[in-house]
Amino acid sequence: MGEKLICNNKKAYHEYFIEEKFEAGISLLGTEVKSLRAGKANMGDSFALVRGGEVSIHNLHIPPYDFGNRENHDPDRVRKLLLHKAEIGRLFIKTQERGYALIPLRVYFKNGLVKIELGLAKGKKLYDKREDLKQKDHKRELAQALKERHRG
């Protein structure tokens, strides 16, 4: 079946250095899955926390299902992530270090199941962000120059 991307967190790569990636399942209600199948989700300011031996995701907005009834879900509820105990232990130790955070990178379907990719991230300073933008501009100019060269 493969993978089908639902939403992506492009801002995370600009704001953080992603050091390690983890794939986790996510505990959802039926109407949340239907809403995700329609391609609706927003990871704007979402983050994950490790507390009490569990990992949970906060601020992941999954809008109510359009054809739902009174049993529709709360769009901004805290959702539990499903990881192995050893992975949770590693994440707990790493997130206790100064400057590290758990940031969701993308939400997708994998073989019919909803998965979320978490990144163990360290925040970038302003000068790091400027350097990334300079490199991005440089690559774009180089690609345009090569394109012009091959044309003429």
Side-chain angles (χ1 to χ4, degrees), residues 124-134:
K124 285 185 181 179
K125 303 279 190 245
L126 184 62
Y127 55 84
D128 292 327
K129 293 177 191 176
R130 286 185 188 143
E131 187 63 35
D132 282 351
L133 288 173
K134 284 180 192 174

Side-chain angles (χ1 to χ4, degrees), residues 8-22 43-49 55-58 81 91 95 99-107 116-123:
N8 208 349
N9 192 354
K10 293 177 186 172
K11 195 169 100 174
Y13 292 98
H14 178 70
E15 299 282 333
Y16 301 95
F17 292 113
I18 308 299
E19 295 189 1
E20 221 176 324
K21 293 181 181 179
F22 296 90
M43 312 177 78
D45 296 320
S46 57
F47 60 95
L49 290 177
V55 182
S56 58
I57 187 161
H58 300 259
L81 297 181
L91 288 174
T95 55
Y100 280 99
L102 270 177
I103 306 296
L105 302 175
R106 61 191 184 117
V107 178
I116 188 163
E117 186 176 74
L118 293 174
L120 187 61
K122 193 166 185 126

Side-chain angles (χ1 to χ4, degrees), residues 1-6 22-25 37 106-117:
M1 289 182 87
E3 290 184 4
K4 180 189 171 210
L5 184 67
I6 299 166
F22 296 90
E23 181 181 72
R37 285 208 189 280
R106 61 191 184 117
V107 178
Y108 55 96
F109 282 104
K110 183 177 180 181
N111 298 329
L113 300 174
V114 179
K115 300 287 183 178
I116 188 163
E117 186 176 74

